[in-house]
Amino acid sequence: MDVRFPGEANHLAEVGSRLSRQFDFAERLLHYWSAAPLDDGFNQSELPPIVIKVLAAMRVRSCRLCRSAIELCKRAEALDAAILARALFDTALIVKFVLKPEFVPPKVSRKDPVRELPSNPLTRKQRATLYLAHNAFKRATIIAKHSRDSGSSHFAARLDEEKREYADAIGPEWTIILQHHPKSYSGLTSRQLADVLGPPFPRWYDSVYGYLCSHVHVDDIEYYLTVDGQGDSRVSWHNSTDEVALSLRPVFPMFHLIAGMMHEHVDFGPEVGSILNGFAVEYRPLDDSE
């Protein structure tokens, strides 16, 4: 379906013209990372298989998010692209959480019955298991609520069994933690996890995460209206080129960081490292140009 908004053709031509270098760069990076021969690196890695499972999934997730964000930006849908950019930030958090060589849960203030997280270090295998357990718990809870009405009781039973298996794998303490506020795979809020994981996540959280979140929670009505000189409002069908550039801008560093972290810890070979570094060098003048 190709529905066009009023005046869209001319506006998209302007966006495409002004941001042609950024779009070309983003598409070349996406094409490289989605087609790069990484299977041997994954298969030969000494990382635990469950960690490789999470990384392989996050590679595909990040590629899908990046492609969709680029396509939305090309249609001047900057707000929806920003939502996907936020999802890229969350994906980068997951990859860093799983791959960080050492991770000790911090002592943080919590509002639920579990006042503090266990203080013992978590291995990569344990962190990958926590992430997958978090997913299993969420799926089982959602399906259980609707299984009676939707006739999916067999599916619900299978997910409930999967939930029990993961509960056994992570133990009773972490099972309780994952099912209480903030109900995250780390037992931490995004802000707390960003601080623990370190650069660049705290800076990104402070500089762009709030802007990206505003479009998720619909705190952005001003982007759908324009006010003329007399103070009258009218609808705005398109995001400006500057707004498109603002949403596109964080997509590259987040996507590149995900690829870079995977290469650093899996090691896909010197050629992959050289190409990723080349993209980073090429991007610097593009980032300064907007």
Side-chain angles (χ1 to χ4, degrees):
M1 181 175 64
D2 189 16
V3 176
R4 294 281 175 164
F5 294 147
E8 183 167 328
N10 290 337
H11 184 63
L12 296 192
E14 177 192 344
V15 170
S17 176
R18 275 192 53 190
L19 300 178
S20 60
R21 294 171 61 207
Q22 285 81 354
F23 286 134
D24 173 72
F25 173 83
E27 288 175 346
R28 284 190 288 109
L29 171 62
L30 173 61
H31 180 268
Y32 170 72
W33 187 244
S34 60
L38 307 183
D39 288 347
D40 286 346
F42 279 130
N43 293 334
Q44 297 171 13
S45 173
E46 296 181 358
L47 292 171
I50 195 170
V51 173
I52 296 298
K53 176 180 179 179
V54 172
L55 297 183
M58 291 305 103
R59 176 201 181 194
V60 174
R61 184 176 197 264
S62 63
C63 287
R64 288 182 176 180
L65 289 170
C66 184
R67 184 178 70 170
S68 296
I70 295 169
E71 290 178 349
L72 285 169
C73 284
K74 282 190 166 185
R75 294 187 66 110
E77 296 289 358
L79 308 187
D80 292 335
I83 294 172
L84 299 179
R86 175 200 156 155
L88 268 176
F89 177 89
D90 293 330
T91 305
L93 276 181
I94 293 167
V95 173
K96 182 68 171 182
F97 172 72
V98 171
L99 284 178
K100 189 175 172 67
E102 296 180 358
F103 185 90
V104 179
K107 294 185 181 298
V108 295
S109 176
R110 293 171 54 88
K111 300 177 182 179
D112 58 55
V114 184
R115 306 310 301 175
E116 291 186 356
L117 300 179
S119 59
N120 53 300
L122 293 171
T123 66
R124 288 168 168 153
K125 179 179 179 180
Q126 288 172 319
R127 281 174 263 152
T129 306
L130 284 176
Y131 170 71
L132 293 176
H134 165 73
N135 279 260
F137 292 173
K138 286 183 67 176
R139 287 196 303 270
T141 300
I142 292 170
I143 294 300
K145 290 181 179 179
H146 303 287
S147 61
R148 185 171 300 176
D149 295 332
S150 63
S152 56
S153 57
H154 293 297
F155 184 44
R158 181 165 66 83
L159 291 181
D160 196 52
E161 175 61 27
E162 180 185 39
K163 177 181 176 180
R164 286 194 293 270
E165 290 175 357
Y166 274 112
D168 290 341
I170 65 176
E173 190 171 20
W174 273 104
T175 296
I176 293 173
I177 291 170
L178 264 56
Q179 296 182 90
H180 286 83
H181 179 82
K183 295 186 177 180
S184 68
Y185 52 86
S186 64
L188 302 167
T189 65
S190 295
R191 164 84 264 184
Q192 293 167 338
L193 183 58
D195 287 339
V196 175
L197 295 180
F201 294 104
R203 175 174 57 83
W204 282 358
Y205 191 96
D206 291 335
S207 60
V208 300
Y209 193 69
Y211 165 76
L212 301 177
C213 286
S214 67
H215 306 306
V216 176
H217 302 299
V218 202
D219 301 328
D220 55 0
I221 189 172
E222 70 275 9
Y223 290 94
Y224 301 97
L225 299 171
T226 57
V227 181
D228 60 25
Q230 286 70 46
D232 296 326
S233 298
R234 58 185 177 84
V235 298
S236 180
W237 286 104
H238 315 107
N239 293 126
S240 70
T241 305
D242 288 340
E243 289 165 349
V244 173
L246 186 62
S247 291
L248 184 62
R249 186 171 187 172
V251 170
F252 163 75
M254 292 178 185
F255 185 72
H256 187 272
L257 177 65
I258 292 168
M261 288 189 294
M262 289 189 186
H263 172 62
E264 177 185 356
H265 295 282
V266 177
D267 188 3
F268 299 111
E271 181 180 356
V272 172
S274 177
I275 292 174
L276 289 177
N277 184 65
F279 276 115
V281 172
E282 183 183 353
Y283 177 73
R284 289 169 192 156
L286 288 178
D287 185 47
D288 293 338
S289 68
E290 285 296 329

